[in-house]
């Protein structure tokens, strides 16, 4: 059978300032009808760019400079805009990373669903509405009869992602491009979406390109996997072959990332005074309580990972500790002394002791200040150092985060990579010379290799400086590699709390169990087995609701 | 919906306070101007006796605070008072009945509102349409031409644009009359025809703002993932903009439209003078000239109220245009 999609020597360039620089350097790709190809690689590998180019589409400031993209005999590189518009939505559809951002907030879901069929003349609106409801049912959305008549903001992220898959299916296309469709979701929600996508792609025998940076996910979804690195193909093979016998060093290094693991420290002595003690904290936004009676301790030189899904109260707990959100009840102790609930009532020294590192280093650093100024500010504010002394201290801090001071002191954040920016965020926290640092999802925006570097750095700093960390994350692999103790949160409550080894050895709380079993594994049969084991009614969302 | 009601009540309350402050500021400001009504009306040959006589007649010899409180008392009983000019005339004629400020302003205000409405009916659709087209064909010759044209018309003085229009549409091609001397009881069509040139002049003045905001608000959204999604569904560029970008760009557009409508009510003196259009602007300027405080006060309160109400309407429409606010979770 002939190929549905045939990409040959695809070259794509991106504009930076006035010059065009290559992003994709001659990639070939073949896809048969009904086949699923996984595209993996780190950010900047060009996965999404290739995915969009497979639709004959490039974003602003990007152009196809050579090669061909042949879809069912039509070259999309040379085809006119009208020809491409005829294919898009009808025969080639797209599922974006963030359904919340990719649904138009101004229109109801079903109106967006029927738009492509009606505009392409594939179906009448009424037929398309019925079909949409049928698809919602197949994708196991709750209330399939009425969910489409809501606005996007009234529906949860995981459900929207499935509604978007339904939308892509609305014209029964030959090819769907899935661009990181589950990256923004919690693990338990991810399972449901993965299962839905896989079923429906199977059922309609749709070909798909599945783009992701998560190997374990792609292992569940793809027949074949293609690995990309900075716009070049590294290797391509059948999924099982690729997982068991990766040929290239780069692929092997991707496989190996998850192996970083710190030895667990011995438990703190029973009579030790914890650095931070959260005692029976209940907190509310407005009149609704979002934290209920949360208690845990963080001892000197140790890392406590706080895990849970979005909305479980992890970040709210951090806000209570930092005093940004004074708790309604309960108290925060630092070195055994009660801290004022409101940060404005805390002394400078109390503020200095607890620092924070943020998830998005991009937005947490002032783009108009140099690295030297960014780190120098807390050095002066908390340490009172000026002039040469301040400069010396900033150099020392840059050394600690392994950035060459002479080279980076005068640079601006925009000239740094994501990992380097996060390192600057760490240096800024260290500048206050704190005892305790809250790390809020500090690695979740980073690629695996870079994230590992950050975790290693944090571990080293802990050993050298005796820091205590509260590590907020939803990624259990991160927990495994860095935590000493784990606090599992759900709906604003602590459901399990203890040393890491206990957490990862059964028996656990049913919710912890669900979280652990929901983390995709590198085994291509993992999803199938899990679904069989849980039964269709016990997938992610449904399972969470039952608890 | 109760939240919208709450906003309306809150804003109306704040609006009343604003009006109160405006009335004080205007009262004081007019009194800071050199001279008063008596001196202005009698001119250079006035004798001190006749000036004093008029002041006594109109109560201008009272202290400032007393006069303000007197005016405020009238205001609270919805009595805008009588203009000094009318009162003085009536006194001179031996106490005959005189026209109140309300009666004086009413026809002028309705003329102004008529002109503003005609202008809005032309300018708003044209501006939004041009803005959508400019966004659709951004950075093309059309976009640049539209920008150039609207920007030049907004940068030229109003009277200049007025005379250019008179030259082309009244003198060289007599399509519309150059004098807009409308009066009560005139047929609607004639009234419309006579108001056309001032309306067109004002359209040229206000279109640029609204068009550029429409264009900018739409282009601002074109990088959004949902616009990319709409394109990847194979929709036509026009549909992408009208159906997917425009509904989300309404809030800023509505706000600029409201500001421009407020300008049409309060700021059209020059155009009124050029076309001899009997609107409220002309009355206002004349009253300031002769320090006729009751009329000035009334006009200012109307102007302030127009701003407040139009902005309030804009805010409410913005809320209604946003489904997230209209249908909370």
């Amino acid at each position: 059978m002939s190929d549905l999609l045939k990409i040959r020597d695809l070259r794509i360039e991106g504009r930076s300032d006035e010059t065009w620089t290559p992003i994709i350097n001659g990639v070939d790709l073949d896809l048969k009808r009904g086949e699923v190809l996984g595209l993996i690689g780190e950010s900047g590998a060009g996965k999404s760019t290739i995915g969009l180019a497979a639709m004959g589409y490039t974003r602003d400031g990007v152009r196809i400079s050579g090669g061909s993209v042949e879809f069912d005999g039509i070259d999309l590189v040379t085809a006119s805009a009208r020809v491409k518009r005829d294919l898009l939505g009808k025969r080639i559809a797209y599922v974006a990373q963030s359904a919340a951002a990719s649904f138009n907030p101004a229109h109801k879901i079903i109106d967006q669903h029927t738009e492509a069929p009606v505009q392409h003349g594939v179906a009448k609106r009424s037929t398309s509405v019925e079909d949409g409801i049928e698809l919602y049912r197949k994708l196991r959305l709750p209330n399939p009869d009425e969910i489409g008549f809501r606005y996007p903001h009234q529906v949860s992220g995981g459900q929207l992602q499935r509604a978007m898959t339904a939308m892509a299916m609305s014209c029964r296309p030959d090819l769907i491009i899935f661009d990181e469709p589950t990256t923004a979701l919690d693990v338990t929600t991810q399972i449901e979406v993965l299962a839905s996508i896989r079923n429906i792609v199977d059922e309609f025998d749709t070909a798909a390109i599945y783009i992701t940076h998560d190997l374990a996910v792609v292992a569940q979804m793809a027949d074949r996997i293609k690995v990309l690195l900075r716009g070049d193909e590294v290797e391509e093979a059948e999924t099982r072959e690729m997982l068991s016998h990766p040929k290239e060093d780069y692929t092997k290094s991707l496989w190996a990332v998850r192996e970083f693991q710190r030895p667990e420290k011995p438990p703190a002595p029973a009579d030790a005074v914890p650095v931070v003690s959260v005692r029976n904290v209940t907190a509310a936004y407005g009149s609704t309580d979002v934290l209920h009676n949360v208690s845990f301790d963080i001892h000197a030189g140790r890392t406590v990972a706080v895990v849970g899904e979005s909305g479980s109260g992890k970040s709210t707990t951090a806000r209570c500790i930092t005093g940004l959100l004074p708790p309604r009840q309960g108290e925060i102790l630092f070195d055994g002394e009660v801290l004022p609930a409101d940060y404005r009532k805390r002394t400078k020294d109390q503020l200095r002791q607890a620092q924070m590192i943020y998830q998005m280093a991009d937005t947490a650093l002032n783009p108009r200040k140099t690295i030297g100024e960014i780190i120098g500010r807390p050095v002066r504010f908390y340490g009172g150092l000026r002039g040469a002394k301040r400069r010396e201290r900033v150099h020392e801090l840059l050394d600690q985060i392994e950035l060459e001071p002479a080279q980076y002191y005068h640079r601006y954040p925009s000239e740094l990579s994501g990992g380097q920016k996060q390192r600057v965020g760490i240096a800024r926290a260290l500048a206050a010379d704190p005892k305790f640092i809250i790390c809020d999802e500090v690695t979740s925006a980073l690629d695996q290799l870079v994230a590992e570097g950050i975790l290693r750095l944090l571990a080293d700093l802990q050993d050298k400086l005796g820091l205590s960390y509260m590590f907020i994350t939803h990624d259990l692999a991160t927990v495994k590699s860095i935590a000493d103790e784990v606090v599992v949160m759900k709906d604003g409550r602590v459901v399990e709390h203890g040393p890491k080894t206990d957490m990862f050895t059964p028996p656990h709380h049913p919710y912890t169990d669900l979280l652990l079993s929901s983390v995709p594994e590198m085994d291509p049969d993992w999803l199938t087995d899990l679904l069989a084991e849980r039964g269709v009614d016990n997938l992610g969302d449904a399972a969470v609701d039952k608890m | 919906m109760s939240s919208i009601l709450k906003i309306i009540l809150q804003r109306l309350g704040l609006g009343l306070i604003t009006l109160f402050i405006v009335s004080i500021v205007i009262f004081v400001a007019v009194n800071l101007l050199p001279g008063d009504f008596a001196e202005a009306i009698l001119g250079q040959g006035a004798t001190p006796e006749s000036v004093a006589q008029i002041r006594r007649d109109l109560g201008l010899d009272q202290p400032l605070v007393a006069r303000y409180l007197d005016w405020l008392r009238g205001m609270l009983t919805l009595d805008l008072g009588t203009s000094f000019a009318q009162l003085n005339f009536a006194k001179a004629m031996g106490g005959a009945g005189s026209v109140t400020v309300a009666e004086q302003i009413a026809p002028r205000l309705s003329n102004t509102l008529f002109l503003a409405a005609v202008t809005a009916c032309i300018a708003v659709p044209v501006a939004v349409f041009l803005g959508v087209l400019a966004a659709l064909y951004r950075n093309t010759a059309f976009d640049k031409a539209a920008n150039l044209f609207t920007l030049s018309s907004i940068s030229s003085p109003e009277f200049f644009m007025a005379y250019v229009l008179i030259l082309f549409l009244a003198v060289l091609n007599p399509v519309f009359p150059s004098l807009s001397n409308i009066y009560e009881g005139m047929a609607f069509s004639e009234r419309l025809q006579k108001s056309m040139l001032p309306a067109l002049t004002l359209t040229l003045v206000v279109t640029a703002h609204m068009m550029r905001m429409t264009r900018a608000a739409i282009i601002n959204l074109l990088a959004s993932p949902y616009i990319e999604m709409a394109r990847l569904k194979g929709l036509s560029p026009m549909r992408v903009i009208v159906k997917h970008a425009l509904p989300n760009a309404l809030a800023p557009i509505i706000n600029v439209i409201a500001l421009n409508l407020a300008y049409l009510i309060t700021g059209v003196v020059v155009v009124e003078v050029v076309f001899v259009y009997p609107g409220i602007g002309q009355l206002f300027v004349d009253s300031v000239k002769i320090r006729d405080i009751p009329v000035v006060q009334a006009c200012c309160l109307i102007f302030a109220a127009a701003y407040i109400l139009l902005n309030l309407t804009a805010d409410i429409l913005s809320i209604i245009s946003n489904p997230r606010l209209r249908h909370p979770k």
Side-chain angles (χ1 to χ4, degrees):
Chain A
M1 196 164 69
S2 73
D3 284 352
L4 177 68
L5 182 71
K6 202 159 96 182
I7 295 180
R8 286 291 170 271
D9 193 31
L10 179 66
R11 289 169 188 279
I12 297 179
E13 294 176 334
R15 192 175 51 209
S16 52
D17 297 325
E18 288 305 302
T19 57
W20 291 90
T21 44
I23 305 177
I24 305 292
N25 320 305
V27 166
D28 295 346
L29 185 153
D30 292 284
L31 192 65
K32 294 188 179 56
R33 285 184 184 276
E35 188 184 32
V36 179
L37 173 73
L39 276 188
I40 63 163
E42 306 184 353
S43 56
K47 310 178 297 273
S48 295
T49 312
I50 293 179
L52 290 170
M55 308 181 75
Y57 179 88
T58 51
R59 294 199 165 125
D60 279 348
V62 176
R63 69 176 183 197
I64 298 178
S65 58
S68 63
V69 177
E70 233 173 74
F71 173 80
D72 207 15
I74 306 164
D75 184 3
L76 297 179
V77 175
T78 50
S80 71
R82 184 170 292 273
V83 169
K84 281 194 277 188
R85 278 212 297 277
D86 255 4
L87 292 174
L88 291 182
K90 186 160 117 190
R91 300 195 56 201
I92 315 176
Y94 181 71
V95 175
Q97 172 168 1
S98 163
S102 295
F103 268 112
N104 192 325
H107 302 295
K108 289 180 181 164
I109 294 170
I110 196 77
D111 292 336
Q112 305 188 45
H113 180 95
T114 58
E115 193 172 20
V118 172
Q119 292 296 314
H120 288 295
V122 173
K124 286 205 312 255
R125 194 189 131 83
S126 54
T127 344
S128 178
V129 169
E130 278 168 35
D131 182 57
I133 293 172
E134 193 48 41
L135 285 170
Y136 295 154
R137 190 163 288 129
K138 282 203 167 84
L139 288 162
R140 310 182 42 75
L141 279 162
N143 304 325
D145 291 315
E146 53 109 351
I147 195 165
F149 297 89
R150 297 193 207 155
Y151 285 93
H153 71 275
Q154 297 169 307
V155 175
S156 78
Q159 292 170 3
L160 269 186
Q161 203 69 49
R162 274 176 280 165
M164 176 164 286
T165 306
M167 184 160 86
M169 278 289 174
S170 64
C171 293
R172 300 293 184 276
D174 301 310
L175 169 64
I176 299 184
I177 313 291
F178 291 96
D179 194 353
E180 307 248 14
T182 61
T183 307
L185 304 176
D186 287 320
V187 278
T188 52
T189 322
Q190 170 170 275
I191 301 235
E192 180 113 344
V193 176
L194 289 178
S196 309
I197 291 179
R198 207 171 65 170
N199 288 343
I200 204 144
V201 167
D202 264 2
E203 179 170 347
F204 296 114
D205 201 25
T206 316
I209 293 180
Y210 197 99
I211 297 165
T212 176
H213 67 275
D214 190 333
L215 285 160
V217 165
V218 85
Q220 314 309 316
M221 309 301 287
D223 303 319
R224 263 186 309 140
I225 296 178
K226 190 194 273 294
V227 183
L228 295 168
L229 173 63
R230 287 192 283 275
D232 283 305
E233 177 177 325
V234 177
E235 61 177 314
E236 181 184 327
E238 297 294 320
T239 302
R240 278 169 204 279
E241 172 72 16
M242 179 73 96
L243 292 175
S244 49
H245 302 100
K247 289 193 195 67
E248 300 294 322
D249 287 345
Y250 175 70
T251 318
K252 286 179 194 158
S253 78
L254 280 180
W255 267 231
V257 172
R258 289 158 183 260
E259 286 166 11
F260 169 64
Q261 196 165 348
R262 287 198 91 188
E264 193 176 329
K265 294 183 209 73
D271 56 346
V273 177
V275 175
V276 172
S277 185
V278 180
R279 295 248 179 106
N280 308 98
V281 164
T282 297
Y285 289 120
S287 57
T288 27
D289 282 352
V290 286
L291 284 187
H292 308 272
N293 205 16
V294 169
S295 300
F296 58 88
D297 293 338
I298 301 170
H299 284 274
R302 300 173 66 81
T303 303
V304 173
V306 178
V307 295
E309 311 195 315
S310 48
S312 60
K314 302 173 303 224
S315 296
T316 310
T317 309
R319 287 170 62 88
C320 288
I321 296 175
T322 52
L324 288 170
L325 179 72
R328 212 162 58 71
Q329 276 165 27
E331 53 196 17
I332 311 288
L333 275 64
F334 201 94
D335 276 343
E337 283 176 36
V338 178
L339 281 179
D342 190 329
Y343 75 96
R344 279 167 288 212
K345 299 202 178 101
R346 295 185 184 172
T347 65
K348 203 174 194 179
D349 200 51
Q350 284 170 333
L351 291 174
R352 181 183 67 76
Q353 299 278 14
Q355 293 293 313
M356 188 137 179
I357 309 171
Y358 302 87
Q359 174 172 7
M360 306 300 283
D362 265 335
T363 48
L365 301 180
N366 187 338
R368 293 188 179 275
K369 300 262 187 219
T370 63
I371 303 307
E373 288 169 322
I374 290 171
I375 303 175
R377 167 118 184 99
V379 167
R380 190 172 133 188
F381 181 77
Y382 289 115
L385 301 181
R386 281 157 200 278
K389 280 199 172 149
R390 171 173 153 193
R391 204 184 155 84
E392 201 177 302
R393 172 80 178 124
V394 174
H395 275 237
E396 202 179 294
L397 287 163
L398 281 170
D399 271 334
Q400 279 183 342
I401 56 160
E402 296 155 21
L403 292 181
E404 178 55 43
Q407 202 184 340
Y408 289 95
Y409 192 91
H410 292 291
R411 290 212 195 171
Y412 287 91
S414 60
E415 299 170 276
L416 268 56
S417 73
Q420 289 171 336
K421 277 183 242 182
Q422 197 54 284
R423 281 169 191 260
V424 173
I426 294 174
R428 180 174 57 181
L430 292 178
D433 197 13
K435 274 175 106 165
F436 169 65
I437 298 181
I438 298 174
C439 305
D440 191 353
E441 302 269 12
V442 287
T443 55
S444 49
L446 302 172
D447 288 319
Q448 293 177 35
L449 285 170
V450 181
E452 196 203 329
I454 296 287
L455 292 183
R456 283 184 197 275
L457 173 66
L458 286 170
D460 285 351
L461 289 169
Q462 183 167 56
D463 292 343
K464 272 187 222 152
L465 307 171
L467 297 165
S468 308
Y469 295 136
M470 170 173 156
F471 213 94
I472 298 174
T473 182
H474 66 272
D475 179 20
L476 292 164
T478 310
V479 176
K480 230 174 206 169
S481 59
I482 196 164
D484 299 310
E485 280 158 55
V486 182
V487 173
V488 183
M489 292 189 72
K490 177 178 185 294
D491 299 336
R493 291 189 169 79
V494 174
V495 294
E496 193 168 4
H497 176 199
K500 176 170 68 176
T501 18
D502 289 3
M503 156 96 183
F504 285 100
T505 27
H508 359 249
H509 182 277
Y511 179 70
T512 313
D513 195 43
L514 179 75
L515 272 186
L516 286 175
S517 67
S518 298
V519 178
E521 287 168 22
M522 217 72 104
D523 169 8
D525 297 322
W526 169 79
L527 183 61
T528 316
D529 295 347
L530 183 81
L531 295 177
E533 189 185 310
R534 284 195 191 167
V536 278
D537 290 328
N538 275 320
L539 290 172
D541 280 359
V544 174
D545 291 342
K546 278 191 182 171
M547 278 171 200
Chain B
M1 279 301 145
S2 67
S3 63
I4 291 189
L5 197 67
K6 202 173 136 195
I7 293 176
I8 295 178
L9 291 177
Q10 216 170 31
R11 295 285 292 276
L12 284 178
L14 283 174
L16 280 179
I17 296 175
T18 312
L19 288 182
F20 174 68
I21 294 171
V22 166
S23 75
I24 295 180
V25 170
I26 297 301
F27 203 86
V28 172
V30 175
N31 275 286
L32 286 179
L33 293 175
D36 63 2
F37 175 77
E39 286 170 4
I41 204 77
L42 291 173
Q44 291 192 333
T47 61
E49 291 76 31
S50 50
V51 170
Q53 175 65 38
I54 290 183
R55 281 187 184 154
R56 213 168 20 254
D57 286 349
L58 299 179
L60 287 175
D61 51 348
Q62 301 292 315
L64 188 64
V65 177
R67 276 188 281 143
Y68 177 75
L69 289 179
D70 195 39
W71 174 83
L72 189 63
R73 208 172 298 125
M75 190 64 213
L76 290 178
T77 56
L78 295 179
D79 176 10
L80 286 171
T82 309
S83 97
F84 289 167
Q86 291 287 340
L87 204 58
N88 186 41
F89 182 69
K91 286 255 160 74
M93 301 309 282
S98 56
V99 185
T100 63
V101 172
E103 286 164 332
Q104 233 179 329
I105 286 183
R108 298 291 197 114
L109 179 62
S110 93
N111 287 344
T112 291
L113 291 179
F114 179 76
L115 181 60
V118 173
T119 309
C121 286
I122 303 171
V124 173
V126 166
V128 173
F129 184 69
L130 281 180
V132 166
L133 286 186
L136 184 60
Y137 302 111
R138 58 196 170 283
N139 304 328
T140 63
F142 170 81
D143 181 22
K144 281 169 191 156
N147 252 320
L148 188 70
F149 178 70
T150 49
L151 275 185
S152 356
S153 64
I154 202 180
S155 333
S156 320
E158 286 167 42
F159 64 85
F160 175 72
M161 296 312 297
Y163 287 129
V164 169
L165 285 182
I166 289 178
L167 177 65
F168 285 105
L169 294 177
V171 180
L172 296 179
N173 313 290
V175 190
F176 298 115
S178 63
L179 286 186
S180 310
N181 50 343
I182 62 172
Y183 49 85
E184 233 172 306
M186 200 179 224
F188 178 77
S189 56
E190 197 186 349
R191 205 176 152 114
L192 194 62
Q193 200 201 9
K194 290 215 164 182
S195 312
M196 215 31 134
L197 278 185
L200 285 179
T201 310
L202 289 171
T203 298
L204 289 176
V205 176
V206 296
T207 302
H209 258 147
M210 297 191 282
M211 178 215 138
R212 287 171 64 80
M213 181 50 93
T214 305
R215 179 184 181 275
I218 288 177
I219 288 182
N220 204 11
L221 293 177
L222 290 186
S224 326
Y226 60 82
I227 296 295
E228 180 167 82
M229 190 47 145
R231 286 189 183 135
L232 291 174
K233 276 162 132 185
L235 306 178
S236 69
M238 192 62 166
R239 190 176 168 87
V240 169
I241 286 191
V242 173
K243 187 90 183 167
H244 287 271
L246 190 57
N248 293 292
L250 283 179
I253 298 174
I254 290 172
N255 274 299
V256 167
I257 290 178
L259 274 181
N260 279 288
L261 293 186
Y263 165 80
L264 287 179
I265 294 176
T266 61
V268 297
V269 182
V270 175
V271 174
E272 282 179 13
V273 170
V274 172
F275 293 100
V276 203
Y277 188 90
I280 198 171
Q282 183 73 59
L283 175 69
F284 176 62
V285 170
D286 289 344
S287 305
V288 171
K289 249 187 255 164
I290 57 167
R291 318 281 185 264
D292 200 337
I293 294 177
V295 182
V296 174
Q297 284 282 54
C299 289
C300 283
L301 288 186
I302 288 170
F303 294 163
Y307 264 100
I308 291 165
L309 288 178
L310 280 166
N311 276 308
L312 177 61
T313 315
D315 285 350
I316 291 166
L317 287 178
S318 303
I319 291 174
I320 293 176
S321 77
N322 184 343
R324 261 171 291 208
L325 300 175
R326 204 169 60 218
H327 304 276
K329 279 197 183 180

